[in-house]
Amino acid sequence: MREVFTTFLRLGLTSFGGPIAHLGYFRRTLVEERGWLDEPAYARIVALCSVLPGPTSSQVGMLIGLVRAGAPGALLAWLGFTLPSAVLMALIAWALGSAGGHDPPVWFAGLLDGLFAAAAAVVAQAVLALGKSLCTDAPTKTLAFAAAIVALALRPLPGLQWLPIALGAACGALWFRDAVRAEALPIRVPRTVAAVAALVFVALLAVTVLPDGPVVALLATIVRAGSLVFGGGHVVLPLLHGLVADGLIGERQFFAGYGAAQAMPGPLFTFASYLGFANASPLHGALGALAATVLIFAPSFALIFAIAPVWNRLAALPGAGGALRGANASVVGLLGAVLYDPIVVSLGTGWPRVAIALAAYALIAVWNVAPWIVVLGAAALGALLGS
C-alpha cells in the first residue's frame, strides 16, 4: 500500500497535460517500469473507465490501485494522484483573495484577464481536438451541433447541463448499432461491496434534488459534475459553471480558477478544490475545498466498485457502443456551446484579452507548447499589462 501511495504521489506531482497524457504516464510507469499489470489488462481498464462518467485518468488509477493492493490501494492511489493539485488549487484560491477578505493587489484584474484568455484557448483547442476524434461522420457531427443548440437553449436552466449528454447517449443507442466489447478485467469485487457502492452512488445523486440553499446548491453542483461528466476533464466546465448562475462565485473568478487548473499536474477535477475554497456560501475556505474535492470524486469511486464486477455483461448489451458514441459526440457540442457562451461572449473585444487568447491558442495548437506553460505565461502577461 505504501508503494501504491508513493508511486501515485509522484505521478500526481509530475503528470501534466490532461487525462490523455496521464494515461501515457500511467502506462510508462505502471506497465513498462514497474510491471504491475500487462498491456492487455491495462487496455481493458482504460476501456472500462472511458465509458464511465467521471475523470478517466483518476478512475484508471483507482482500478490499478485496486488490482495492486485491494480497496485500500484504490483509495491511496486516488489520494496520491489528487493531493498535490488539490492543495495547490486551494492555495491559489487563497492567494487570489477569493475568500480571504482582503483587497486584491493592483495586478489582480490583469492576472484574471490572462487566466481567462488562457482558458478560452484551452477550451477552443479541446473542442477542435475532441471534434476531430469523436465526430468522424455526418451522424456524430449532427449530434454535436444538436447538443450545442440544446445546451445554449438550456443556459437559463443551469441544473440541466447534463441533458444534452443524456439525449446524445439515447440517440446513439438507437442510431449506432455497434457494441462495446471487452475481455474480463483482472479485478475481483464481492457482490456485497458492489451493492453497497451502488447504493452510495444513488445516495450521492439524491443530494442533487435536495431543497435549495447556498450550501446545498454548492454540494449538488459538485456531485452532479462528478456523476455526469463524460469525455474527460474539460467537460466538467459547463456542469460546474452553474455555481456562477447561483451567485456563488463571479464569472471572472470562475474562469481564473479554470485557467489556473490547466497549469496543475494531476486531475483537472481538482478545479472543484478551488471552487470549494473560493465560493461565497457558508461552506468555503479549507473545509469547503475538502468537501468539494471529496464529493466530486466520490461518485467515480462508488461507480468503480459498483460497475467493475458486471462490466463484461454491460459492455456486451445491444446499443452500449452506440450510446457511448452518441454521448461522446454530444460532449463536443456541449463544449462548443460553452466556448461560445460564456467564454467568447465574456472575452469581449478588449485587445489585451483577445490577443493573449489568440497567442495562447497558437502556442497550444500550432506549436504544441504544454498548456500549463501557456497558462503561466498568459497569467504573467495579463498581470504585467494590468499593473
Side-chain angles (χ1 to χ4, degrees), residues 108-124 237 241 244 250-260 262 338-349 352-354 356-358 360 374-375 378-379 382:
F108 178 68
L111 184 141
L112 289 182
D113 284 343
L115 288 174
F116 188 93
V122 170
V123 174
L237 176 64
H241 190 260
V244 177
E251 187 94 70
R252 294 175 70 200
Q253 287 177 313
F254 179 89
F255 282 104
Y258 182 72
Q262 313 304 317
V338 172
L339 177 61
Y340 169 70
D341 184 11
I343 292 179
V344 172
V345 171
S346 299
L347 199 62
T349 57
R353 278 200 286 181
V354 174
I356 293 173
L358 292 174
V374 175
V375 169

Side-chain angles (χ1 to χ4, degrees), residues 129-146:
L130 285 173
K132 185 177 180 180
S133 62
L134 299 178
C135 300
T136 56
D137 53 23
T140 50
K141 291 176 183 177
T142 301
L143 274 180
F145 281 110

Side-chain angles (χ1 to χ4, degrees), residues 197-329:
L199 290 175
V200 170
F201 182 76
V202 172
L204 288 169
L205 287 181
V207 173
T208 65
V209 295
L210 290 175
D212 288 337
V215 173
V216 172
L218 170 69
L219 300 182
T221 301
I222 296 294
V223 171
R224 191 180 296 115
S227 304
L228 300 171
V229 166
F230 288 87
H234 290 292
V235 189
V236 79
L237 176 64
L239 296 178
L240 290 176
H241 190 260
L243 295 178
V244 177
D246 291 332
L248 294 177
I249 192 169
E251 187 94 70
R252 294 175 70 200
Q253 287 177 313
F254 179 89
F255 282 104
Y258 182 72
Q262 313 304 317
M264 296 295 109
L268 185 61
F269 269 44
T270 55
F271 179 34
S273 307
Y274 171 93
L275 297 174
F277 195 105
N279 77 91
S281 79
L283 183 61
H284 63 266
L287 184 59
L290 177 62
T293 304
V294 171
L295 285 177
I296 200 167
F297 286 100
S300 296
F301 209 90
L303 273 179
I304 287 296
F305 283 89
I307 298 297
V310 296
W311 161 244
N312 297 324
R313 284 176 286 176
L314 290 175
L317 290 175
L324 173 64
R325 193 174 171 196
N328 284 339

